[in-house]
Amino acid sequence: MTQRTRPDKRHSPNEMRPFYCSSALLSRADGSVRFKSGDSAVMCSVFGPMEVKLRDEKLDKAVVEVIFKTAAGMTTTKERMYERIIRQTLEASILSGLHPRTSIRVTLQVLTDDGGILSTALNAATLALVDAGIPLRSLAASVTCMIDDTGELLLDPTAIELERSASVHTFAFDNVSEGTLANMSTGLFTVDEYMRCYETCRLAAVSVQQLFRTSSEGKVRREYG
Amino acid sequence: MAKKGKKALEVRDLPPGEEAASSTTKTLVIPGDHIPIKIENSTGPARVRVGPGLHQEQGELVAVKAGILQQGSQNRWWVEGTQKRYVPALGESVLGIIASKHGEFYRVDIGAAHPASLPVLAFEGATKRNRPNLEVGSLIYARVSLANKDMEPELDCIDPATGKAGGFGELKDGFMVRCSLGMARRLLDPRSPILLRLAEAFKFETAVGMNGRVWVNAETTPHIITVARAIQVADGAAAGDVMRRVEQVLRTLDDFMDNS
């Protein structure tokens, strides 16, 4: 393991950036969370279960809508892809059968993007759903890691590090089965590299789950004394 | 379903051989947590009854919401948490706004995913000839008489025990404020320190809806505003900070009354 310091002063390639979250910031939304991971920050609001447009209505479950907005500029296909990944991941967590013919809308607004924005957005969405009181089967904790051009694995890369990436891997793990809920990998990589990334992210996701617990508990303790 | 209950977790109500979920300390759960009580072949004194925030999955109880795990009488378990969006439940009192009038029923907004229907005959003394006269926009206090996730919720304005109005019906004058569902439940507690403190200062009346809406009326407008403000500032405040904030609102009223 190299002792080289990373651009944001982290010492180890296996070190996550510090993350924290604050909830119930928006007064109109049913649930809202701001999730920060290093200098990447996402604001997430959740509305629902609420009335659904007739053409989207599903008779046996709630419709999950995800809107992903960048900090600046137009929505491109990349954001559309993020919306799809996040929606499919959340659909696996939400007990949508408990609220048929309704809609659950998740809006994600990127505040600052310093790498790993998909993970940050997914974690924000999960916590916002908890804040909104949407019934969930499990919590999806997401972590990103990359393999750089020298073949070294870097956990939770920043935007500067991502410029030298050969492949980037984002995973989401649930807290019940500890299985993979979602995975997005881009770039060229070997099976061995992929498995290394999977293992590293799986271990790192435990600390994200820990944050989910402490933040939910903190909120309840605050209000109920 | 029991929504209230101040009883702490009791070990003796648990099936023998099961580890107690908690003694007197509050057990906090998050979605996905397994609740260590058996629900099938329960050998406990009564069947386990599952309330809001808990779900049965393959013979095990799993939390689906974040909050405090609570146990009531007769082995009732639920998760006490707070949220903003109302999900109708049978027998709960709610505040609704008439959204439209139809031949045999009113459509009422109760803040849930679907509007509720209120039959014109679901009032005390209502007959085919003698109908209640509610306008669009009227505020009503009603009871949820039908709550099923697949069906539109239904309301009535009759107390089922007596067949009388029992406080249900249109609410005239006054003011309606919104709060979280947790706050509404706390206000419904007859020992609610917020309302007791305000009642020491002046007279007022309230109607608390489980859907996070509170109607307030008092002799003068400043008093109405004070109650409304007190509820709003107490909502979401840390448990230890609630009464300090209420006192602050009361001081503002005193200052205003002294100056006018």
Side-chain angles (χ1 to χ4, degrees):
Chain A
M1 211 166 277
T2 48
Q3 278 307 304
R4 189 178 45 153
T5 314
R6 294 171 66 174
D8 58 341
K9 307 277 193 293
R10 270 179 290 172
H11 296 295
S12 158
N14 284 330
E15 192 183 337
M16 297 270 288
R17 288 177 284 182
F19 41 68
Y20 78 93
C21 63
S22 37
S23 60
L25 299 162
L26 305 176
S27 59
R28 304 297 289 263
D30 293 320
S32 58
V33 157
R34 190 181 63 191
F35 194 92
K36 263 193 98 180
S37 169
D39 283 333
S40 285
V42 173
M43 183 84 196
C44 180
S45 67
V46 169
F47 290 87
M50 60 175 187
E51 231 171 320
V52 61
K53 266 185 256 139
L54 205 60
R55 68 183 168 94
D56 298 330
E57 188 176 272
K58 285 185 185 154
L59 286 174
D60 57 342
K61 59 182 184 179
V63 176
V64 182
E65 297 169 80
V66 175
I67 299 160
F68 189 98
K69 295 210 181 271
T70 49
M74 295 268 288
T75 303
T76 62
T77 40
K78 195 174 105 187
E79 281 74 44
R80 289 277 174 212
M81 185 179 69
Y82 283 175
E83 285 178 1
R84 194 184 158 82
I85 293 167
I86 295 168
R87 197 191 72 227
Q88 288 174 338
T89 313
L90 296 181
E91 274 173 350
S93 307
I94 297 171
L95 288 160
S96 51
L98 294 181
H99 296 294
R101 299 196 300 120
T102 63
S103 141
I104 295 165
R105 179 176 295 161
V106 179
T107 311
L108 294 145
Q109 169 70 58
V110 176
L111 303 172
T112 48
D113 183 356
D114 188 24
I117 205 70
L118 179 59
S119 286
T120 315
L122 246 172
N123 293 334
T126 301
L127 276 170
L129 287 171
V130 175
D131 187 41
I134 306 283
L136 300 171
R137 185 178 289 122
S138 59
L139 301 180
S142 180
V143 181
T144 298
C145 76
M146 67 171 245
I147 303 283
D148 74 4
D149 43 16
T150 63
E152 196 190 357
L153 188 151
L154 293 173
L155 185 64
D156 197 13
T158 63
I160 295 168
E161 288 172 317
L162 282 170
E163 285 170 15
R164 306 191 297 110
S165 68
S167 63
V168 184
H169 308 263
T170 301
F171 292 91
F173 301 92
D174 74 18
N175 62 335
V176 177
S177 64
E178 278 158 27
T180 319
L181 278 178
N183 164 229
M184 187 181 84
S185 296
T186 52
L188 290 173
F189 50 89
T190 64
V191 174
D192 182 49
E193 284 175 332
Y194 178 81
M195 291 317 288
R196 266 168 64 210
C197 290
Y198 171 81
E199 271 308 313
T200 313
C201 288
R202 198 174 60 84
L203 293 173
V206 174
S207 60
V208 180
Q209 293 287 4
Q210 205 64 50
L211 173 82
F212 287 172
R213 185 173 294 276
T214 46
S215 80
S216 309
E217 289 189 349
K219 191 188 150 215
V220 176
R221 277 205 199 285
R222 197 178 99 83
E223 219 161 302
Y224 289 88
Chain B
M1 215 158 288
K3 282 247 167 177
K4 276 207 173 134
K6 295 286 164 219
K7 238 167 101 183
L9 293 171
E10 277 179 300
V11 183
R12 64 181 163 85
D13 284 349
L14 287 167
E18 286 292 330
E19 200 188 329
S22 162
S23 48
T24 47
T25 55
K26 286 169 182 164
T27 314
L28 295 162
V29 290
I30 61 168
D33 282 356
H34 284 272
I35 311 299
I37 46 169
K38 277 212 179 96
I39 42 176
E40 278 174 2
N41 307 321
S42 172
T43 50
R47 278 181 168 278
V48 176
R49 302 184 77 177
V50 176
L54 295 174
H55 203 68
Q56 183 180 352
E57 214 157 272
Q58 286 151 14
E60 276 197 275
L61 267 189
V62 184
V64 296
K65 289 182 185 183
I68 304 167
L69 182 67
Q70 300 265 35
Q71 186 190 16
S73 56
Q74 292 170 352
N75 239 352
R76 291 162 191 261
W77 293 81
W78 73 98
V79 176
E80 181 86 37
T82 188
Q83 64 186 66
K84 285 185 188 167
R85 178 70 59 163
Y86 180 61
V87 179
L90 187 68
E92 289 185 346
S93 306
V94 293
L95 281 171
I97 297 161
I98 305 286
S100 59
K101 271 161 69 168
H102 299 268
E104 295 301 312
F105 63 93
Y106 296 101
R107 203 159 283 280
V108 186
D109 164 39
I110 55 169
H114 304 287
S117 64
L118 171 64
V120 291
L121 296 176
F123 289 84
E124 186 193 340
T127 58
K128 285 270 182 200
R129 295 242 179 99
N130 181 22
R131 289 156 170 268
N133 187 24
L134 297 173
E135 293 303 320
V136 170
S138 304
L139 186 68
I140 54 137
Y141 193 47
R143 198 186 70 94
V144 178
S145 61
L146 178 88
N148 182 314
K149 66 184 167 74
D150 297 300
M151 291 164 77
E152 187 176 70
E154 266 180 45
L155 307 175
D156 61 27
C157 283
I158 305 170
D159 184 342
T162 59
K164 294 273 166 60
F168 294 120
E170 189 182 0
L171 297 170
K172 288 173 182 143
D173 306 322
F175 185 64
M176 189 193 82
V177 280
R178 282 163 217 273
C179 62
S180 68
L181 304 190
M183 187 68 202
R185 280 200 296 275
R186 265 176 278 165
L187 289 175
L188 274 170
D189 187 344
R191 292 162 300 170
S192 156
I194 302 167
L195 295 185
L196 287 179
R197 175 65 191 91
L198 291 168
E200 280 172 20
F202 53 88
K203 282 196 291 187
F204 63 92
E205 46 178 346
T206 57
V208 182
M210 293 281 274
N211 56 342
R213 291 174 179 180
V214 184
W215 171 83
V216 183
N217 199 12
E219 274 165 6
T220 69
T221 310
H223 290 117
I224 297 176
I225 294 170
T226 304
V227 181
R229 281 293 300 152
I231 292 166
Q232 283 172 330
V233 297
D235 196 9
D241 203 29
V242 169
M243 290 322 287
R244 194 187 57 82
R245 291 196 186 194
V246 172
E247 292 296 338
Q248 213 166 14
V249 173
L250 278 170
R251 270 200 300 280
T252 316
L253 174 74
D254 287 341
D255 292 347
F256 177 81
M257 291 311 219
D258 290 344
N259 293 334
S260 58

